[in-house]
């Protein structure tokens, strides 16, 4: 059988595993039409109409995990192949790989099974070699690879055989049983089962090693082969996986090691062929010339067969001297043809480990008189690079049962072993940092959770989020970011014990699993916090990235694994919540999970949902709070959002505004606010009030690419004066990209919009950027006003703000004025306007317009606003 080149197979395997790893494990809703040619134990249809048998069970398990729907249709083999080719079915199990079939069908890259073809006959049959088929009638399956192979091979060897083509292999076994045919060709798995049912026996005639796949219609469902390869790569690398449990269930001679996954067909064939060669050699001494000529012809044929096998084949005597070596073994040793005969391995190999391994397996065959399967690494002469072989050795016995020679078949599986190692690494390790990936971390977390639930130990899960990691990539490039991640991984590994696990689970997130923290629970919690703090400090130290210093901090969420831990998902959720709390509180800190975190998250979820429902309903409204100058006249007003929930009552802006910003609802809320502000301006204008209105604009809104166009369109739609709108932004906007912020504010100022810095004096703004922005006003935060005029520090800060604003020609409004003493102090220092409960509380816009109308009519004084 022709095989894909080893290197190509390795590359395809690595690419298959990588793409599944990147793509993730998201299941897809897929319906597959599966053709079933019933052939126990390979595949058949069970009582429920689902695939069963070795390949059927494996396919059903993959479908269950992926959410596929399987629809089966039974058919004879030739019909199944035709249906697959025409697209009437999507998938055909138990299909052997041939280069010709790849032109028509799609195969995944990892074989489900390795098999071979064998001839089965009635007991006492004289069939011992392929030449014995001369003049016989042989049953073969229509459309099968055995049919094609035997037809070509027998014709090439000039062996006349009548091939009786049957539509079902079961018919072929029955015809041999009923003496209508002499023998039947079948694959090993089906043949072993059916020969028992029909009282037939396996002959020594073995041919055509086979690799079993699921065949698919070319050009359809391209994700299916990759998904099958992903499961096979994982299962075949794990001894106790579903794959090996399935093989054991069907009681097939498979071992969970790669030693048994290929090659068993070879030893049987070679033993038969070599025994036949020895028989011919012995017979040649006593046969007549005619028989000698026939023997020589057969020897040349068998030499051709042995020379074409893609494996190193040899026989040795009991002194371990070579009696025969095929061309592949001679090429591996780098010696001329025939040079190995009469010599031992010591005469050619210099690597002591290689010699020890070969001699040990030879002696095991001689002493046990049983087959030995090993996986040695052999270093050829003149090289330092070893090759991994699947070595199968069997004794050739004399009539008295003593060992006469050792027959060896060694298949070079170096590329396969490397590919499997690469696939395993891609499946379980992060490529950038070489740390375990999320998949391996979750498996370890599940183990620790079970141990904790069984009260064997107390562990902990630490979720580590790097603070502002995106800025490193944005400022210095992804190469710097990758080097920083590798450095962080090294520090985390050095700061933990060998029994702990450090894993990278996403771009800037790491997991640390701590085991054996001791008891009681309080002591375990203390140890977990100590480790978390140690990790935080290790990250906070300066890094050297591309020969430049780099600084980064981490927010670490910590939770314990103990007897009351409910599940892995619960542990991950707890640690994530704690990490988010640490980040929300400014980062660079360790936060331990508390039950209140869960309550807080649930509250945020319903608030977010209800806030979306409240938009453009009476639940949400804008209240107005006027600002007053020193003479008691109104100089402006601020619109403030209020939410009156139908069941929970009034909800503070300090609660729902941050949720709106975090969820993205702030843009909808801001657009609604701007529309109401325009209508209010026009309404006040009709009453003769021409002072400006202030509305809050979040930094996220300001940096939206379409924000300027939206403001322009809204002003034009309402025909509202932009020069009587003031956008209040927080100091946080000053620590963003100053150039981009300045450009956006300049574009809005061309529409007449003026800007005010809200809560000024409480942040950490870049004061130098004030002169670069088109600012109109500063608002002194109420936290600096509440202790005036008694607190010396607040007095100093307020006076500094007023002096700076005077130099920069900025208007100043003080918020939170609640006492006459505060008012007198601020006006005495030339503060332009005051806003607070002393002067007027926030009120519905309609109530304010009624007050204005009453004042216009001379019915009310300013005192009525308090």
């Amino acid at each position: 059988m022709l095989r894909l080149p080893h290197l190509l197979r390795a590359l395809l395997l690595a690419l298959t595993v990588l793409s599944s790893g990147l793509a993730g494990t998201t299941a897809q809703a897929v319906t597959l039409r599966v053709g079933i040619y019933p052939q126990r134990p390979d595949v058949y249809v069970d009582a429920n109409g689902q695939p069963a048998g070795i390949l059927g069970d494996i396919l059903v398990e993959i479908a269950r995990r992926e959410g596929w729907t399987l629809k089966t249709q039974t058919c004879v083999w030739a019909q199944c192949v035709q249906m697959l080719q025409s697209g009437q079915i999507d998938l055909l199990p138990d299909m052997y790989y041939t280069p010709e079939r790849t032109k028509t069908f799609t195969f995944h890259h990892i074989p489900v099974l390795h098999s071979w073809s064998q001839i089965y006959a009635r007991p006492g049959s004289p069939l011992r070699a392929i030449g014995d088929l001369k003049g016989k009638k042989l049953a073969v399956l229509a459309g099968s690879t055995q049919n094609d192979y035997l037809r070509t091979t027998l014709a090439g060897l000039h062996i006349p055989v009548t091939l009786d083509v049957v539509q079902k292999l079961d018919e072929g076994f029955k015809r041999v049983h009923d003496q209508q045919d002499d023998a039947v060709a079948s694959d090993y798995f089906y043949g072993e089962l059916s020969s028992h049912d029909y009282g037939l026996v396996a002959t020594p005639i073995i041919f055509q090693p086979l690799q079993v796949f699921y065949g698919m219609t070319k050009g359809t469902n391209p994700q299916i082969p990759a998904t099958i390869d992903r499961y096979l790569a994982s299962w075949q690398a794990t001894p106790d996986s579903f794959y090996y449990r399935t093989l054991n269930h069907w009681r097939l001679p498979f071992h969970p090691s790669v030693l048994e996954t290929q090659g068993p067909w070879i030893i049987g064939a070679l033993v038969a062929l070599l025994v036949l060669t020895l028989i011919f050699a012995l017979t040649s001494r006593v046969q007549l010339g005619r028989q000698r000529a026939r023997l020589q012809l057969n020897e040349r044929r068998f030499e051709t067969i042995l020379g074409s096998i893609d494996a190193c084949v040899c026989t040795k005597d009991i002194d371990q001297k070579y009696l025969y070596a095929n061309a592949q073994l001679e090429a591996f040793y780098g010696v001329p043809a025939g040079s190995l005969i009469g010599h031992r391995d010591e005469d050619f190999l210099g690597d002591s480990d290689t010699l020890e391994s070969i001699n040990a397996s030879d002696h095991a065959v001689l002493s046990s008189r049983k087959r030995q399967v090993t996986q040695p690494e052999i270093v050829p002469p003149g090289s330092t690079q070893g090759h991994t072989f699947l070595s199968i050795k069997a004794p050739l016995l004399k009539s008295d049962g003593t060992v006469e020679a050792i027959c060896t078949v060694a298949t070079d599986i170096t590329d396969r072993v490397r590919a499997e190692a690469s696939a395993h690494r891609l499946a379980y390790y992060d490529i950038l940092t070489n740390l375990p990936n999320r998949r391996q971390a979750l498996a370890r977390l599940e183990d620790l959770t079970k141990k904790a639930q069984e009260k064997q130990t107390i562990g902990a899960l630490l979720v580590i989020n790097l603070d502002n990691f995106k800025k490193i990539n944005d400022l210095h490039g992804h190469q710097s970011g990758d080097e920083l991640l590798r450095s962080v991984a090294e520090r985390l590994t050095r700061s933990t014990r060998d029994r702990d696990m450090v894993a990278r689970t996403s771009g800037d997130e790491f997991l640390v699993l701590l085991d054996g923290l001791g008891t009681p629970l309080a002591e375990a919690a203390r140890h977990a916090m100590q480790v978390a703090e140690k990790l935080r400090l290790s990250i906070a130290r300066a890094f050297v990235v591309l020969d430049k210093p780099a600084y980064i901090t981490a927010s670490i969420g910590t939770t314990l694994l103990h007897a009351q831990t409910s599940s892995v998902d619960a542990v991950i959720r707890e640690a994530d919540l704690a990490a988010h709390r640490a980040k929300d509180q400014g980062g660079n800190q360790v936060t331990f999970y508390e039950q209140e975190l869960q309550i807080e998250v649930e509250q945020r979820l319903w608030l977010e949902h209800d806030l979306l429902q409240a938009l453009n309903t009476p639940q949400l409204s804008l209240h107005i709070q006027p600002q007053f100058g020193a003479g008691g006249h109104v100089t402006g007003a601020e619109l403030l959002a209020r939410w009156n929930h139908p069941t929970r009552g009034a909800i503070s802006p300090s609660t729902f505004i941050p949720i709106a910003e975090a969820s993205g609802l702030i843009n909808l809320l801001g657009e609604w606010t701007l529309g109401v502000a325009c209508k209010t301006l026009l309404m006040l204008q009709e009453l003769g009030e021409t002072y400006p209105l202030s509305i809050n604009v979040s930094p996220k809104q300001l940096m939206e690419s379409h924000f300027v166009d939206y403001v322009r369109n809204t002003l034009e739609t309402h025909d509202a004066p932009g020069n009587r709108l003031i956008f209040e932004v927080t100091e946080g906007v000053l620590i963003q990209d100053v150039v981009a912020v300045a450009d956006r504010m300049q574009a809005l100022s061309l529409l007449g919009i003026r800007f005010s810095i809200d809560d000024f004096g409480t942040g950490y703004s870049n004061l130098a950027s004030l002169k670069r922005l088109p600012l109109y006003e500063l608002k002194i935060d109420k936290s600096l006003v509440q202790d005036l005029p008694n607190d010396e520090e607040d007095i100093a800060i307020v006076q500094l703000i007023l002096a700076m604003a005077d130099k920069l020609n900025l208007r100043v409004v003080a918020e939170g004025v609640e006492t006459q003493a505060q008012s007198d102090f601020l006006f005495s220092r030339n503060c332009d306007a005051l806003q607070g409960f002393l002067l007027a509380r926030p009120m519905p816009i309609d109530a304010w317009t009624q007050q204005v109308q009453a004042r216009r009519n001379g019915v009310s004084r300013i005192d009525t606003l308090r």
Side-chain angles (χ1 to χ4, degrees):
M1 172 181 179
L2 296 175
R3 305 197 311 169
L4 287 173
H6 287 165
L7 180 57
L8 178 59
R9 290 183 61 197
L11 290 174
L12 288 173
L13 176 60
L15 288 173
T16 298
V17 178
L18 178 58
S19 64
S20 65
L22 294 177
T25 57
T26 306
Q28 302 183 28
V30 173
T31 298
L32 292 179
R33 299 167 297 173
V34 183
I36 302 293
Y37 168 61
Q39 187 164 281
R40 289 174 178 260
D42 298 6
V43 66
Y44 65 97
V45 178
D46 66 13
N48 298 320
Q50 288 294 296
I54 303 170
L55 288 92
D57 290 351
I58 291 172
L59 179 61
V60 167
E61 179 63 14
I62 295 175
R64 183 188 68 80
R65 299 191 184 194
E66 292 294 315
W68 298 343
T69 300
L70 303 180
K71 295 184 177 180
T72 59
Q73 177 159 353
T74 57
C75 44
V76 298
W77 179 251
Q79 180 189 13
C80 285
V81 174
Q82 181 59 39
M83 292 174 68
L84 184 65
Q85 184 174 356
S86 63
Q88 295 175 268
I89 58 176
D90 303 307
L91 184 144
L92 181 58
D94 205 15
M95 198 170 198
Y96 302 143
Y97 169 88
T98 66
E100 291 76 17
R101 284 178 173 173
T102 61
K103 300 174 183 177
T104 307
F105 306 109
T106 295
F107 294 89
H108 47 95
H109 302 303
I110 301 176
V112 187
L113 293 173
H114 291 266
S115 184
W116 59 89
S117 298
Q118 195 159 1
I119 302 298
Y120 293 86
R122 291 182 293 277
S125 170
L127 299 180
R128 292 293 180 270
I130 195 168
D132 296 335
L133 292 173
K134 181 178 179 180
K136 302 298 183 182
K137 193 173 182 181
L138 180 64
V140 292
L141 179 66
S144 66
T145 57
Q146 290 95 345
N147 185 11
D148 298 337
Y149 180 87
L150 287 171
R151 191 177 301 277
T152 302
T153 302
L154 293 171
L157 294 175
H158 304 291
I159 301 175
V161 177
T162 300
L163 296 182
D164 185 8
V165 179
V166 296
Q167 295 300 316
K168 297 182 179 179
L169 261 182
D170 187 63
E171 296 176 9
F173 278 87
K174 186 175 185 303
R175 290 183 66 83
V176 177
H177 175 268
D178 296 341
Q179 300 187 16
Q180 294 175 298
D181 288 335
D182 297 299
V184 58
S186 170
D187 75 282
Y188 169 75
F189 295 130
Y190 182 76
E192 288 299 296
L193 187 65
S194 295
S195 62
H196 176 76
D197 293 341
Y198 286 95
L200 305 184
V201 295
T203 72
I205 305 175
I206 298 174
F207 62 96
Q208 194 187 24
L210 302 170
Q211 291 177 318
V212 184
F213 294 84
Y214 297 101
M216 283 153 275
T217 304
K218 209 170 188 66
T220 61
N221 295 322
Q223 78 281 9
I224 300 301
T227 301
I228 292 174
D229 275 331
R230 173 161 54 83
Y231 280 100
L232 291 176
S234 173
W235 287 344
Q236 291 180 3
T238 307
D240 61 348
S241 66
F242 177 83
Y243 176 82
Y244 290 109
R245 292 197 302 272
T246 300
L247 297 182
N248 291 334
H249 169 73
W250 290 100
R251 296 182 179 176
L252 294 174
F254 274 75
H255 189 273
S257 162
V258 297
L259 299 179
E260 293 292 336
T261 59
Q262 67 173 4
W265 59 273
I266 304 175
I267 186 62
L270 288 173
V271 170
L273 294 173
L274 291 173
V275 168
L276 185 60
T277 301
L278 291 174
I279 293 173
F280 278 135
L282 293 173
T283 305
S284 65
R285 298 178 182 178
V286 296
Q287 294 297 322
L288 299 174
R290 180 176 58 82
Q291 293 172 317
R292 183 180 298 106
R294 179 184 176 188
L295 175 61
Q296 290 173 347
L297 175 61
N298 283 331
E299 286 179 344
R300 287 195 299 272
R301 290 173 179 172
F302 293 131
E303 182 68 31
T304 300
I305 295 173
L306 291 177
S308 65
I309 292 176
D310 189 15
C312 296
V313 182
C314 68
T315 56
K316 298 178 185 178
D317 62 20
I318 58 176
D319 294 324
Q320 296 176 264
K321 291 181 180 181
Y322 282 97
L323 300 173
Y324 169 83
N326 71 344
Q328 282 79 358
L329 180 59
E330 292 169 339
F332 181 76
Y333 273 50
V335 298
S339 298
L340 291 176
I341 307 304
H343 293 276
R344 295 185 177 90
D345 291 296
E346 289 86 345
D347 299 331
F348 301 95
L349 298 177
D351 183 73
S352 59
D353 292 337
T354 295
L355 288 171
E356 183 180 352
S357 175
I358 294 174
N359 290 333
S361 58
D362 285 347
H363 290 147
V365 173
L366 294 172
S367 60
S368 67
R369 294 184 296 177
K370 294 181 180 179
R371 187 182 72 163
Q372 299 292 322
V373 181
T374 59
Q375 188 175 313
E377 183 171 326
I378 300 177
V379 180
S383 175
T384 57
Q385 184 67 41
H387 289 240
T388 303
F389 282 84
L390 174 62
S391 175
I392 305 175
K393 297 187 177 185
L396 297 179
L397 304 177
K398 298 179 182 179
S399 59
D400 60 0
T402 59
V403 178
E404 182 177 21
I406 304 169
C407 177
T408 301
V409 179
T411 305
D412 191 333
I413 60 171
T414 304
D415 291 332
R416 175 180 177 176
V417 170
R418 291 173 181 171
E420 289 175 348
S422 176
H424 182 269
R425 186 146 203 88
L426 288 172
Y428 291 98
Y429 287 87
D430 173 55
I431 298 176
L432 178 64
T433 62
N434 286 325
L435 291 177
N437 61 10
R438 184 175 186 83
R439 180 179 182 180
Q440 189 175 169
L442 290 178
R444 174 65 173 159
L445 178 58
E446 186 170 357
D447 290 341
L448 291 182
T449 302
K450 289 180 180 178
K451 289 174 61 178
Q453 291 170 341
E454 295 169 358
K455 299 182 180 180
Q456 296 181 22
T457 183
I458 296 178
L461 170 63
L462 280 58
V463 172
I464 302 175
N465 287 322
L466 301 182
D467 300 326
N468 300 317
F469 175 71
K470 186 176 183 296
K471 290 185 177 179
I472 298 293
N473 280 334
D474 293 343
L475 294 175
H476 304 292
H478 288 279
Q479 184 179 358
S480 297
D482 289 348
E483 185 171 339
L484 180 61
L485 288 172
R486 284 191 288 266
S487 299
V488 169
E490 291 175 3
R491 290 191 183 179
L492 293 176
T493 303
R494 288 199 305 267
S495 301
T496 52
R497 303 166 300 177
D498 292 339
R499 66 191 300 177
D500 302 325
M501 174 182 281
V502 179
R504 180 179 177 229
T505 55
S506 66
D508 60 352
E509 181 179 274
F510 295 83
L511 293 185
V512 177
L513 289 167
L514 305 178
D515 187 16
L517 294 179
T519 54
L521 200 63
E523 185 68 13
R526 187 178 67 83
H527 287 161
M529 287 297 287
Q530 287 175 342
V531 174
E533 184 64 19
K534 179 182 178 182
L535 297 178
R536 184 191 69 82
L537 293 175
S538 71
I539 294 174
R541 299 196 310 271
F543 292 88
V544 177
V545 177
L546 300 182
D547 299 324
K548 295 180 180 179
Y551 299 89
I552 198 167
T553 58
S555 299
I556 303 178
T558 306
T559 191
L560 291 182
L561 310 175
H562 49 81
Q564 284 71 46
T565 298
S566 59
S567 66
V568 169
D569 289 340
V571 172
I572 295 175
R573 183 173 63 251
E574 291 173 2
D576 277 337
L577 288 171
H580 286 307
R581 167 62 69 86
K583 192 174 287 289
D584 290 344
Q585 292 177 345
N588 194 24
Q589 60 182 285
V590 176
T591 302
F592 213 93
Y593 173 77
E594 298 173 353
Q595 186 61 35
E596 288 75 9
L597 285 175
Q598 185 72 25
I599 298 173
E600 178 183 328
V601 169
E602 292 173 355
Q603 288 177 339
R604 288 177 66 92
L605 287 176
W606 72 254
L607 279 172
E608 181 180 330
H609 174 269
D610 289 1
L611 180 58
L612 179 60
Q613 303 300 317
L615 285 172
N616 297 316
T617 71
Q619 291 185 42
L620 278 178
S621 63
L622 288 179
H623 284 205
I624 189 170
Q625 186 175 28
Q627 301 164 351
F628 296 88
H633 58 282
V634 178
T635 63
E638 180 181 3
L639 295 181
L640 302 167
R642 294 293 184 266
W643 182 12
N644 187 25
H645 194 279
T647 59
R648 302 175 187 270
I651 298 176
S652 170
S654 63
T655 299
F656 71 81
I657 294 297
I659 293 176
E661 290 182 342
S663 64
L665 293 176
I666 194 66
N667 292 331
L668 296 175
L669 189 60
E671 292 172 358
W672 168 75
T673 300
L674 180 59
V676 175
C678 289
K679 295 177 183 177
T680 305
L681 275 177
L682 297 176
M683 185 165 42
L684 291 173
Q685 183 174 292
E686 292 178 358
L687 296 174
E689 304 288 307
T690 58
Y691 41 79
L693 289 181
S694 299
I695 61 173
N696 290 283
V697 176
S698 75
K700 184 177 293 186
Q701 279 182 279
L702 185 63
M703 297 308 296
E704 285 286 343
S705 59
H706 69 279
F707 185 63
V708 175
D709 292 334
Y710 177 79
V711 173
R712 181 188 296 109
N713 293 337
T714 303
L715 293 176
E716 292 175 354
T717 299
H718 293 87
D719 195 21
N723 60 356
R724 292 213 300 275
L725 274 177
I726 297 176
F727 284 178
E728 293 188 7
V729 296
T730 61
E731 284 187 85
V733 77
L734 302 181
I735 61 175
Q736 298 189 31
D737 187 340
V738 177
V739 175
V741 170
D743 290 344
R744 192 62 48 82
M745 292 175 69
Q746 291 288 358
L748 289 168
S749 67
L750 294 178
L751 303 176
I753 304 297
R754 289 177 285 183
F755 290 90
S756 173
I757 301 297
D758 194 16
D759 300 334
F760 190 78
T762 60
Y764 300 93
S765 59
N766 181 1
L767 297 179
S769 65
L770 291 178
K771 63 181 182 180
R772 304 178 60 179
L773 303 177
L775 297 178
Y776 167 72
E777 176 184 274
L778 300 179
K779 296 189 75 174
I780 302 175
D781 186 70
K782 62 182 180 181
S783 64
L784 299 174
V785 173
Q786 62 186 5
D787 292 329
L788 293 177
N790 302 317
D791 189 282
E792 294 296 331
E793 292 182 356
D794 288 343
I795 291 174
I797 294 173
V798 170
Q799 289 179 333
L800 181 61
I801 293 173
L802 290 168
M804 179 182 65
D806 181 59
K807 293 296 183 182
L808 295 176
N809 196 28
L810 298 176
R811 183 172 182 264
V812 178
V813 176
E815 296 182 297
V817 178
E818 297 181 355
T819 68
Q820 190 62 44
Q822 294 168 352
S823 174
D824 294 341
F825 175 84
L826 290 165
F827 278 138
S828 69
R829 266 62 174 185
N830 298 320
C831 186
D832 296 290
L834 307 182
Q835 178 180 339
F837 288 178
L838 174 68
L839 306 165
R841 291 178 176 272
M843 65 188 75
I845 294 175
D846 291 343
W848 171 246
T849 55
Q850 292 174 10
Q851 294 280 9
V852 171
Q853 186 66 49
R855 180 158 41 86
R856 288 287 177 182
N857 296 334
V859 176
S860 177
R861 298 180 296 110
I862 294 298
D863 289 342
T864 62
L865 304 176
R866 298 177 183 171

